[in-house]
Amino acid sequence: MAYSDTKHVAIIGCGTIGRQVALVYGQHNRRVTLYDKNEDVAQDALHWIESQLDQKANQPNHVKITRDLKDAAENAWMVTECIAEDIDAKKQLLNTLSSLCASNIIITTNSSSIRSSVLVEGITAASQRRILNAHYFPPAQGPFVELMSCGQTSPAVIESLTQELREIGRRPVVCRADSTGFIMNRIWAAVKREIMMVLADGAGSPTDIDAMLKQAMQAKYGPCELMDFVGLQTVCDIEEIYLKERTYLPSYALTFFRENYVKSGTGRLRPPSREEDEKQAGHSRLRDRLLGAWDLVECTSVSSSRPGSQQKDHPLGREIGREISGHLIYSEAGYVSAQLRIPGQAEFKSVDYWTATPEEHSQAARRYFAYSGQFYVDDDSEKPAVQHRFTHCIYPNMIGQLERRLVHLETDNGCDILRLTPEEPTITPEGRKIIPELTWRRLPVNNRCV
């Protein structure tokens, strides 16, 4: 199947590589559906992708997650598996996908070391015609995507995918022979293997290795930095696959690497840079300061055309000037809930909510606004911000949307004050441009529940 703007790319496996592949398509406004057996991993991947997308462009975010593999496979034009480099697991997944996917859906494996001709064993010849390797380079290594037939892949499928990759700014390269590892991966594997042996022999350090090779190759990143970026567990899994096929290669370095860097070490070859540390620290501090419950103090707006002007305002329609009350809650688990209301709503005549009159329901809805969903903190230390993903909302048009708010935190007489403002002005029904600001005061801990 060729690319269709009404269908999505399904990414199966949302680890380091899977989320990067999803981002490639998300950055070009392609529909993407994420699936991972671990829902927390999928949710984390979605948050990371959203943080990488340019939210200032006011473009709809077409990336979503699903808990159901069948849902991910259906209505896709292409399904890409990005799970760990485990031959048996990948075989089982590809067999499952070939059963779930319609015959015209392209199925790719992002494996960089396992040839798809091995993975398609047991799959019908007809289904094999739409299966191939498609390995996406990490952003730091360029826009390349290496394609390799499983031995039965239809030339039309390869041509269709090649065209789509070019449309989204990638540079496809077709591997001309069945191979364990793509062209670049085989060369890169030799470099990684030698680095492992240098470290196992105690001949050099990751910092020195990177410094020399970055200078010699005029590269932005050193090989140890790139290995950290891919993930050391993945590096080890890939090397193990090469060693099983090429038994003449030494294996002592892999054993040393697993024991000293993956299992008992920090999981990195190099410590995070000062910039990474500062960003992570700022991210953690801001998130920790947001956690808890907040009470709405006031809702004001500043006219963007008349700086300095300020008036009472709120998001509940045109009822300007009335008092508003509300709560905002950020949970440790990464969820947000907001409730806003205009006080003074008359009680329903009926004791049963569902038997109230349409007019009563209408009035209550006009005086109440609520939503919940996930939140995550933007790691831009210059403009601290929080983003809310709406999964439930009284206004259905906002479900699935992402709202970004600049964060201003201060302390007033020992009490935490939170001010949230949008980056861009809001246009009122009358056509005015305003910048709304909601001011919240931290609520004390409910000791009866602690």
Side-chain angles (χ1 to χ4, degrees):
M1 176 185 290
Y3 161 71
S4 167
D5 58 7
T6 63
K7 297 184 179 296
H8 62 259
V9 176
I11 305 296
I12 313 302
C14 301
T16 302
I17 304 301
R19 64 188 62 187
Q20 291 174 21
V21 175
L23 180 62
V24 167
Y25 288 93
Q27 286 175 325
H28 290 82
N29 292 322
R30 290 340 193 224
R31 299 180 185 275
V32 180
T33 298
L34 306 173
Y35 171 82
D36 196 288
K37 289 192 298 184
N38 186 329
E39 188 179 343
D40 290 339
V41 172
Q43 194 66 62
D44 183 68
L46 178 62
H47 290 172
W48 180 83
I49 292 166
E50 290 170 341
S51 72
Q52 302 299 308
L53 294 174
D54 182 7
Q55 300 299 336
K56 297 179 182 180
N58 292 323
Q59 295 178 334
N61 181 5
H62 295 303
V63 183
K64 67 175 185 177
I65 62 175
T66 180
R67 300 179 183 179
D68 183 12
L69 179 60
K70 182 179 179 182
D71 178 58
E74 289 181 344
N75 203 36
W77 70 269
M78 180 174 70
V79 178
T80 296
E81 76 80 8
C82 298
I83 65 173
E85 292 286 279
D86 181 305
I87 292 179
D88 291 336
K90 284 182 179 288
K91 278 185 174 180
Q92 182 178 354
L93 177 57
L94 287 181
N95 268 276
T96 300
L97 290 175
S98 66
S99 298
L100 292 176
C101 295
S103 59
N104 61 342
I105 297 176
I106 298 172
I107 301 175
T108 73
T109 171
N110 191 57
S111 176
S112 63
S113 59
I114 310 171
R115 59 184 81 188
S116 53
S117 60
V118 173
L119 299 177
V120 297
E121 293 175 359
I123 297 177
T124 64
S127 190
Q128 289 182 26
R129 292 182 60 78
R130 40 72 175 276
I131 301 176
L132 70 158
N133 284 79
H135 180 253
Y136 296 74
F137 278 38
Q141 297 181 20
F144 297 98
V145 181
E146 290 187 293
L147 306 177
M148 184 167 65
S149 168
C150 72
Q152 300 294 328
T153 313
S154 166
V157 168
I158 295 177
E159 177 59 32
S160 175
L161 183 53
T162 296
Q163 181 61 35
E164 166 58 10
L165 289 170
R166 289 178 179 145
E167 289 289 330
I168 62 173
R170 300 294 98 181
R171 184 174 173 181
V173 176
V174 179
C175 186
R176 299 181 181 181
D178 193 27
S179 170
T180 296
F182 291 92
I183 304 166
M184 183 60 188
N185 290 111
R186 290 177 62 170
I187 298 170
W188 173 227
V191 174
K192 292 184 293 182
R193 190 174 302 118
E194 284 297 327
I195 289 175
M196 288 181 177
M197 289 192 285
V198 167
L199 296 175
D201 295 341
S205 70
T207 301
D208 290 338
I209 292 169
D210 275 0
M212 289 187 289
L213 285 176
K214 284 167 72 173
Q215 180 66 34
M217 305 299 291
Q218 294 295 298
K220 182 177 180 180
Y221 299 97
C224 294
E225 289 177 300
L226 292 174
M227 291 163 77
D228 281 338
F229 185 77
V230 171
L232 299 189
Q233 181 64 57
T234 300
V235 169
C236 289
D237 291 343
I238 293 172
E239 178 63 9
E240 187 171 351
I241 290 169
Y242 284 119
L243 293 178
K244 286 180 178 178
E245 181 171 306
R246 302 167 188 175
T247 56
Y248 55 85
L249 292 173
S251 60
Y252 75 94
L254 175 60
T255 301
F256 172 87
F257 204 76
R258 285 193 187 278
E259 294 297 328
N260 290 273
Y261 289 102
V262 178
K263 292 182 180 179
S264 60
T266 61
R268 297 177 61 105
L269 289 175
R270 299 189 55 170
S273 66
R274 180 179 179 183
E275 180 181 1
E276 289 176 313
D277 277 338
E278 289 176 350
K279 280 190 174 183
Q280 184 59 39
H283 176 98
S284 299
R285 284 196 299 269
L286 180 57
R287 186 181 189 279
D288 289 344
R289 292 183 68 185
L290 287 175
L291 295 180
W294 301 82
D295 187 52
L296 183 63
V297 176
E298 65 176 351
C299 181
T300 60
S301 67
V302 176
S303 172
S304 62
S305 59
R306 291 184 296 169
S309 66
Q310 193 176 65
Q311 68 178 41
K312 294 283 184 180
D313 204 352
H314 57 72
L316 300 180
R318 305 185 183 186
E319 308 291 334
I320 304 300
R322 297 193 184 182
E323 294 298 323
I324 306 173
S325 63
H327 284 169
L328 174 66
I329 300 173
Y330 292 105
S331 77
E332 176 69 40
Y335 292 90
V336 61
S337 175
Q339 313 283 327
L340 301 172
R341 73 183 184 94
I342 300 173
Q345 170 67 33
E347 291 187 359
F348 289 0
K349 295 180 179 179
S350 170
V351 295
D352 185 350
Y353 174 84
W354 299 108
T355 60
T357 66
E359 291 76 14
E360 288 174 322
H361 281 147
S362 176
Q363 285 299 316
R366 288 179 61 84
R367 304 172 70 93
Y368 202 88
F369 183 77
Y371 68 85
S372 64
Q374 298 88 26
F375 82 93
Y376 59 95
V377 175
D378 195 315
D379 60 3
D380 185 347
S381 58
E382 294 183 1
K383 286 188 175 182
V386 63
Q387 299 191 72
H388 296 176
R389 163 68 66 187
F390 295 84
T391 56
H392 301 82
C393 186
I394 195 171
Y395 180 41
N397 296 34
M398 296 185 71
I399 294 175
Q401 297 297 311
L402 186 72
E403 291 284 340
R404 189 172 190 271
R405 294 290 180 263
L406 299 181
V407 175
H408 309 269
L409 279 161
E410 58 189 65
T411 302
D412 183 16
N413 293 323
C415 184
D416 290 337
I417 301 296
L418 168 65
R419 304 183 195 280
L420 298 177
T421 59
E423 287 187 300
E424 303 294 335
T426 298
I427 301 178
T428 69
E430 295 79 17
R432 293 185 299 110
K433 291 184 178 180
I434 62 172
I435 301 176
E437 179 179 83
L438 274 68
T439 302
W440 307 82
R441 180 186 291 112
R442 183 182 296 281
L443 286 167
V445 174
N446 180 6
N447 291 311
R448 292 184 179 182
C449 293
V450 176

